[in-house]
Amino acid sequence: MAPQTQIFDDANQLAQHGADWIARFIAAKSGPFRLALTGGSTPRALYHELGARQDIDWALVEFFWIDERFVPSDSPDSNYRMAQETLLSQISAVEKNIHPIPTTGDPDDAARSYEAALKKAYGADTLDPTRFLFDLVLLGLGGDGHICSLLPGSPVLEERSRWVAAVKHGRPEIRITLTYPSVQSSRATAFIVTGKEKAEAVRAVRTGDMTLPGARLRPEGELFWLLDRAAAASI
Ligand code: 6PG
């Protein structure tokens, strides 16, 4: 299935129209909606726009993260804190529906614990290709073509049974990340990418450069690209 690409004039336009797009996606489901949030800096404006909307029934939405830095939840580097500041603090989400990735104790135990939370939400211990884990996965893209904390050359790229893994090399802090099997199990997957520094990674991922983790993603459902003009400059 060919990806559907929307190119916006700038990051602010992407944030506004991206929020519209996500709101429509949630409304169309009219039932429990499992949303997997990316971290990083790109989605801040989008999450802020989403939080400002009055037309989303947030009680239907379960929030998950596609990766996390193994830092305290109040650390400036925490993906949970970023989403809390920009989105969750603005909306009336149901507390039990917010599933941050644990970042205390042993990283491998934290990964196991998150995997158990995903399996509980899914209602099964194995992924069924005819039934999605997520309704929508939002993905950032690193300049090196990484997604989640699936970094180029990392052994975790080969993980095909575990849903969540601890990544202990390649970044200043340990990361907890979804693996390909879990992040691919989504009705819709949307890359959210802005800035000229990402243009080459966007081009390489979209043309199938398999040295880049983003290019190795095989989403089960529909794939969307939400780009600003700068990030789309090379496609
Ligand atoms: C993280 C993210 C990571 C991010 C990309 C892009 O924990 O940092 O999950 O995968 O999406 O690195 O980051 P920026 O949006 O900050 O460029």
Side-chain angles (χ1 to χ4, degrees):
M1 190 185 310
Q4 298 177 56
T5 302
Q6 299 180 69
I7 299 173
F8 303 96
D9 284 343
D10 55 38
N12 283 336
Q13 288 291 316
L14 186 156
Q16 290 166 27
H17 291 282
D20 288 344
W21 183 77
I22 293 171
R24 286 197 301 274
F25 225 86
I26 294 171
K29 176 88 184 291
S30 63
F33 191 96
R34 289 197 286 267
L35 174 61
L37 297 174
T38 182
S41 56
T42 301
R44 291 186 74 96
L46 172 62
Y47 293 171
H48 186 75
E49 288 292 333
L50 263 180
R53 296 188 68 101
Q54 303 300 318
D55 58 346
I56 298 176
D57 182 359
W58 291 111
L60 294 173
V61 179
E62 275 201 273
F63 296 88
F64 299 87
W65 278 258
I66 65 171
D67 76 335
E68 186 56 277
R69 295 83 177 277
F70 203 72
V71 296
S73 57
D74 61 357
S75 161
D77 293 329
S78 164
N79 288 335
Y80 166 77
R81 174 176 161 174
M82 185 272 285
Q84 176 64 26
E85 284 175 347
T86 54
L87 172 58
L88 299 176
S89 57
Q90 292 191 74
I91 65 174
S92 51
V94 177
E95 193 62 32
K96 71 176 177 57
N97 286 350
I98 300 173
H99 304 279
I101 295 175
T103 58
T104 55
D106 174 79
D108 292 312
D109 292 346
R112 293 292 69 72
S113 167
Y114 203 61
E115 183 164 316
L118 289 174
K119 290 179 174 177
K120 183 179 178 201
Y122 185 61
D125 286 348
T126 52
L127 289 167
D128 173 349
T130 64
R131 189 166 71 86
F132 300 118
L133 170 58
F134 298 115
D135 291 286
L136 176 60
V137 167
L138 301 178
L139 283 181
L141 180 66
D144 61 358
H146 81 261
I147 53 172
C148 311
S149 289
L150 300 172
L151 309 175
S154 169
V156 74
L157 299 181
E158 309 312 323
E159 178 58 57
R160 284 290 179 268
S161 54
R162 292 198 181 284
W163 297 16
V164 184
V167 176
K168 299 170 183 173
H169 305 287
R171 285 292 181 276
E173 69 287 312
I174 289 171
R175 299 289 187 95
I176 307 294
T177 186
L178 296 193
T179 58
Y180 281 116
S182 53
V183 78
Q184 291 175 167
S185 178
S186 186
R187 185 156 56 89
T189 301
F191 278 98
I192 313 290
V193 196
T194 62
K196 64 180 185 304
E197 71 281 3
K198 302 290 179 74
E200 173 49 27
V202 168
R203 184 203 61 76
V205 165
R206 287 170 60 101
T207 52
D209 177 347
M210 299 302 274
T211 65
L212 274 59
R216 296 175 56 168
L217 183 76
R218 294 291 177 272
E220 304 282 340
E222 290 189 85
L223 177 60
F224 300 86
W225 287 80
L226 278 65
L227 304 168
D228 71 354
R229 206 166 294 290
S234 301
I235 60 172

